[in-house]
Amino acid sequence: MKKQYLPVCLLSLMIVSCAPREPKLGKSSLKDVIAAMTLEEKAHLVIGTGMAGFTGDSAVIGETKALVPGAAGTTYPIERLGIPAVVLADGPAGLRINPKREGDSATYYCTHFPIGTLLASTWNQELVESVGKAIGNEVLEYGADVLLAPALNTHRNPLCGRNFEYYSEDPVVSGKIAAAYVNGVQSNGVGTSIKHFAVNNQETNRMANDARVSPRALREIYLKGFEIAVKESQPWTVMSSYNYLNGTYTSESKELLSTLLRDEWGFKGMVMTDWFGGKDAVAQMIAGNDMLQPGQDKQYEAIVKGVKEGKLDEAVLNRNVKRILEMILRTPRFKGYEFSNKPDLKAHAAITRQSATEGMVLLKNEKEALPFTSQVKNIALFGCTSYDFIAGGTGSGNVNRAYTVSLLDGLTRAGYQVNENLKSQYEQHIISENKRNEPKEKNQMSAFLPKPRPTEMVPSKALLKEMAVGSDVALITIGRTSGEFLDRTVADFNLTKEEFSLIQSITNEFHSAGKKVVVVLNIGGVIETSTWKNLPDAILCAWQAGQEGGNSVVDVLSGKVSPSGKLTMTFPVKFEDAASSKNFPTEGAMGDMDFMSPKKKTNKPLWDYTNYEEDIYVGYRYFDTFGKQVSYPFGYGLSYTSFSYENPRIKEDKDKYVITVTVKNTGKYSGKEVVQLYASAPDRVHANKPEKELKAFMKTKNLKPGESATVVLTVGTSELASFDEQSSSWIVTPGVYQFQIASSSRDIKMVLDANVASTSAKATDILKLKEPIDLLKR
Ligand code: BGC
């Protein structure tokens, strides 16, 4: 027996060791893994696994149950090669997944952090990084791998429906805040996807609209923020946008995704499409758009066919596959991380509450209306939104949170008395308005679109009189909500007549009774303020402050925290004043999202275009260069305390300028100040450059009354360059530059001069306009 057994055993051992072993991801070289993949597997890997997760179903992908229900997408798993499916999930204000799962009594709520615009309004990179860290922890602990955020498109016009997700009209603010966010999220070992690359500044017809922009405006405004974010944080992935850019879909543009992003900027990660973005899968592959999400059969077929017919070089497909595999190798899922499904939601609630207070912008504060003194106990709370606070916007920027703290909740928790009679009138009014506004027919889209807001109730004169006598102060909230798929309308920018008369009649009654009126703006984007801002005593722009919003607002109203947010965009006097308004769709028409409601065809021609005629004159670059009046300027925001600026100094240090200034708290409250540094070029008038441009900013720590801090602002000489289209170079013209140390774009505290030498750096001559457009010049 023994004699016979041994040779059989040896033989079988030899067979096992001689059999070709399947390479395994992480154990074998990427070259070997890719070589072992069939064409079909490669074509699967470069597209996602389909729609299921996107629609929010407790998704089933093929035979497999969704890894994280409600996540936007997954990559294609290839078990034999050790390639797991990894999970991609939205979004900018926190992780978006389904809060409940079939047959499971546990809940999977995520923290709704403040919207992007509020985070940017903190001007505090350290704070944004800590928010990113908390968001990334939820990504990790709920088993996702890549967060589809941050979103940093430019606030080109106040009406863009997704401005709430975005940061600013200025690329330095957008880029620095995005980099801080990415660094925070990625410190958890999970990825991010900076989006939407690029020039996705409107929702109207977003999948078929050609943004026509000069190369100079692209380089200086629309791409600059992405460049900063890529260089300062190396996000794992970039998401291309839906729109065309100068005639080519961004997801099909090799110039954008390869020449610029990788060759010029040094991006090392992977590019994915926005969901269903672009048309030609082969062109997308060639452009360097490595992965198509969420993945459609026709894309798979086009890629396989493309290779077989020689339209798509398999080497190009291999390159894209490699980038996807490199991303997968970094993920917690690949590394076998055992997620808990139990992030510390309590700790994160504290982070969102505190971070939100720092991005609120005090627009007006007269007669020391704020903070409330200890005499303020009884509050007359007006405005439907006070009772039904808005945590954030809709669409993929929404977060499925467990609760939202309203202003009513925040006030009562802090011990204020809110008038009961008024409260019950509002509650009834809101119920009946919501009933009236119920959509006639519900479809998949309804969950994604902003719900109509209740029309404001204007209380009777008698009730107002009673309130003015019986309360210590009036608080009025004005609310706005918006989201993906739709731009806002001019009517949404302006106050409704009910809102206007609400503010007017309340201020009349309360002022006659010697009482003050405070307006809170619970908004996601800029609204009209010039016609009514003279009425109330104080205005606090609270933005949409996440799930703890009401608590955060009360922390500011009560003086627990001094407001220290500043505007990252201009509030114009009228909508028409923004230079881009001439070329911005104002009908609030739906985009090309027919796949969501196949029966509904739009009457409009699908293909359209927007000429960016205002060119580089976006936001304050326009208002300040052309001397236009504004309602509130870029960079503006009040504090309860006051600051002095002293001892400005400038030092040239090789290829950079280091500017220092001492900021002193000269008031009675503790507070933080945002110091801004603008530069004015010597040749700005004849060379058609903006009057000033933000180059650096810094927020002080919390300064006690009498305390000072030295603020250090650094500007690289190359950052003073403008883009010259003729030579396709970044050129610093020589001469005396003015460095303006400022508290807003219209409050320059001191100016330092520096004689700067000329430099020039060649860039590739790409992304050109197909036909000239009529560009604004100074
Ligand atoms: C949005 C993206 C989002 C994606 C996945 C798209 O509609 O534009 O921002 O990440 O959906 O949900």
Side-chain angles (χ1 to χ4, degrees), residues 69-86:
T74 37
T75 63
Y76 183 81
I78 308 172
E79 232 169 89
R80 72 179 182 91
L81 301 174
I83 303 172
V86 304

Side-chain angles (χ1 to χ4, degrees), residues 536-554:
D537 303 283
I539 307 171
L540 178 70
C541 176
W543 296 122
Q544 293 163 348
Q547 67 184 40
E548 288 280 328
N551 283 335
S552 308
V553 172
V554 176

Side-chain angles (χ1 to χ4, degrees), residues 389-574:
F389 225 50
I390 306 163
T394 55
S396 60
N398 182 34
V399 180
N400 295 313
R401 59 198 170 274
Y403 61 86
T404 305
V405 178
S406 69
L407 186 50
L408 170 72
D409 303 333
L411 289 167
T412 40
R413 283 180 203 178
Y416 293 100
Q417 302 289 318
V418 171
N419 187 282
E420 282 296 327
N421 176 15
L422 194 59
K423 176 181 149 204
S424 68
Q425 293 205 24
Y426 266 108
E427 283 172 347
Q428 278 164 28
H429 175 75
I430 292 168
I431 292 172
S432 77
E433 279 293 293
N434 286 348
K435 209 170 207 163
R436 188 175 67 83
N437 286 329
E438 242 166 45
K440 303 274 167 298
E441 53 170 297
K442 274 201 178 158
N443 59 25
Q444 278 181 342
M445 284 299 282
S446 323
F448 272 94
L449 296 176
K451 293 191 183 48
R453 303 285 312 150
T455 304
E456 276 304 341
M457 161 181 112
V458 184
S460 67
K461 202 168 159 52
L463 180 64
L464 287 180
K465 231 189 184 89
E466 186 192 319
M467 293 301 129
V469 173
S471 325
D472 301 319
V473 70
L475 260 185
I476 311 169
T477 304
I478 299 293
R480 286 289 178 280
T481 160
S482 70
E484 190 171 347
F485 304 110
L486 280 174
D487 286 315
R488 296 167 58 210
T489 58
V490 181
D492 193 70
F493 174 83
N494 292 326
L495 289 199
T496 63
K497 62 179 193 312
E498 290 82 8
E499 287 169 334
F500 186 86
S501 63
L502 185 71
I503 298 178
Q504 195 173 41
S505 51
I506 292 168
T507 40
N508 276 344
E509 287 305 330
F510 274 70
H511 285 171
S512 332
K515 308 278 170 68
K516 290 172 191 151
V517 178
V518 177
V519 171
V520 173
L521 302 178
N522 185 196
I523 56 179
V526 174
I527 62 163
E528 187 276 318
T529 47
S530 62
T531 59
W532 59 270
K533 66 180 181 184
N534 59 319
L535 298 171
D537 303 283
I539 307 171
L540 178 70
C541 176
W543 296 122
Q544 293 163 348
Q547 67 184 40
E548 288 280 328
N551 283 335
S552 308
V553 172
V554 176
D555 286 344
V556 173
L557 299 178
S558 67
K560 194 167 151 196
V561 180
S562 265
S564 62
K566 295 205 179 186
L567 297 178
T568 58
M569 77 302 286
T570 312
F571 275 46
V573 173
K574 302 192 295 298

Side-chain angles (χ1 to χ4, degrees), residues 54 72 90 96 148 162 165 195-196 200 206 239 242 274-275 396 484-485 593:
F54 181 73
D90 290 306
R96 186 175 67 87
L148 304 173
R162 292 186 88 170
E165 295 181 60
K195 66 189 189 183
H196 309 90
N200 185 173
R206 65 180 183 173
M239 187 190 291
Y242 283 133
D274 197 348
W275 269 230
S396 60
E484 190 171 347
F485 304 110
M593 294 301 275

